[in-house]
Amino acid sequence: MSHNFQQCQLLVQKAVAAGAKALFLPEASDYIGSSPAETVALARSVKDSEFVRGLQHEAQSAKLPINVGIHERAEGGEKVKNTLIWIDEKGDIVQRYQKIHLFDVDIKGGPVLKESRSVQKGNSILPPFQTTVGRVGLTICFDLRFPEISLALKRQTCQIIAYPSAFTVPTGQAHWEVLLRARAVETQAYVVAAAQVGAHNEKRVSYGHSMIVSPWGEILAELGGEGREPEIATADIDLDLVDKIKREMPLLRRTDIYPEI
């Protein structure tokens, strides 16, 4: 975890140098375990996590809000929570989202991943909240495949949706870009997807390709899939554009026919 924190420190420095108003980091930025047992054993509460406390200090020192995916120990200690926290410019944790949809897959020729073996699923959608860059909605990785959560955030006037992720290489190659662009278009919101990249251990490699997508579905920034050194992608967030697209392309839902999400 100390190595990961050092990587995040570099990203904070790069974000500050670029004049960023907020920094979005990937899912599970603290660590990715090689087994369910290791995932649970490494988990700490936020007050006991040197990784989280370190990022709180970085946010306060740089006056830079940080959105970061972490693990927290669940009640009973047998599983963890896959959570996404928003640390404000004062260094305080002011928002927390717990991943709703868990990644349980068996990919032919690829990895077998059963997140539910070690992770407790969340049970609620966090309402969008105001930040220095706009009204932000939080999701995590596999949530990307379920438009219901993003549509619920859209209904609550979300302007930016975060999808921090650790996509596998096979699923990333097939679906990452198309899903991100689809979520942006259907919600008419910016999509910010910070992604883990490269090998974590002998069992796990992440696809990378962090991406920022406009409300019109245009890719504004994209990183690669090599992960040789920490990188950031930046883009201007134009909230007037969000309003313009919603005004000129109104998506009037037929809730008299199908349920409101």
Side-chain angles (χ1 to χ4, degrees):
M1 274 188 277
S2 60
H3 172 73
N4 284 16
F5 175 65
Q6 291 170 8
Q7 300 286 86
C8 290
Q9 276 185 309
L10 289 174
L11 293 173
V12 170
Q13 293 168 12
K14 291 186 176 186
V16 171
K21 302 300 182 185
L23 174 62
F24 292 79
L25 296 173
E27 174 189 25
S29 288
D30 50 356
Y31 65 88
I32 290 182
S34 59
S35 68
E38 184 178 53
T39 297
V40 173
L42 290 174
R44 299 289 183 271
S45 66
V46 291
K47 68 176 185 299
D48 294 326
S49 170
E50 292 184 7
F51 178 86
V52 173
R53 293 204 313 271
L55 282 183
Q56 288 180 273
H57 175 74
E58 292 292 324
Q60 182 182 33
S61 298
K63 294 182 172 53
L64 179 73
I66 297 175
N67 188 221
V68 59
I70 61 168
H71 298 84
E72 297 181 86
R73 191 174 289 272
E75 293 77 9
E78 295 182 359
K79 290 189 175 184
V80 301
K81 298 176 183 179
N82 185 337
T83 58
L84 183 59
I85 58 174
W86 186 273
I87 305 171
D88 69 11
E89 62 275 13
K90 298 178 182 177
D92 297 326
I93 298 172
V94 294
Q95 301 291 344
R96 176 187 273 101
Y97 166 73
Q98 184 177 348
K99 188 176 185 180
I100 292 175
H101 301 99
L102 301 185
F103 188 57
D104 282 6
V105 298
D106 185 349
I107 302 169
K108 184 177 181 180
V112 177
L113 296 170
K114 302 289 185 182
E115 193 174 18
S116 61
R117 291 174 180 168
S118 59
V119 178
Q120 177 193 83
K121 63 184 177 182
N123 292 309
S124 63
I125 297 172
L126 178 71
F129 53 93
Q130 192 62 44
T131 73
T132 55
V133 292
R135 284 178 59 78
V136 173
L138 302 183
T139 73
I140 299 174
C141 199
F142 200 52
D143 290 332
L144 177 59
R145 294 183 179 274
F146 300 87
E148 293 84 356
I149 184 172
S150 56
L151 291 175
L153 292 170
K154 169 185 168 58
R155 184 172 55 82
Q156 299 174 78
T157 65
C158 185
Q159 296 167 313
I160 303 165
I161 303 178
Y163 284 104
S165 298
F167 255 55
T168 67
V169 173
T171 58
Q173 290 173 335
H175 301 144
W176 176 245
E177 178 185 326
V178 68
L179 285 171
L180 291 173
R181 297 181 70 187
R183 295 296 86 86
V185 170
E186 69 195 7
T187 62
Q188 299 176 314
Y190 283 91
V191 162
V192 179
Q196 293 270 9
V197 60
H200 308 289
N201 50 60
E202 60 183 21
K203 298 180 181 179
R204 184 78 181 272
V205 179
S206 287
Y207 177 63
H209 294 271
S210 295
M211 199 175 295
I212 304 171
V213 184
S214 81
W216 195 244
E218 178 187 5
I219 298 174
L220 301 177
E222 181 181 2
L223 299 180
E226 298 298 325
R228 293 190 178 94
E229 64 178 47
E231 296 179 283
I232 62 166
T234 61
D236 291 329
I237 301 297
D238 183 354
L239 299 182
D240 289 337
L241 176 63
V242 175
D243 294 337
K244 179 177 184 291
I245 290 172
K246 288 182 177 180
R247 184 173 62 252
E248 296 180 354
M249 181 74 73
L251 301 180
L252 305 177
R253 314 204 82 77
R254 288 295 305 274
T255 53
D256 58 322
I257 297 175
Y258 46 75
E260 183 176 63
I261 297 174

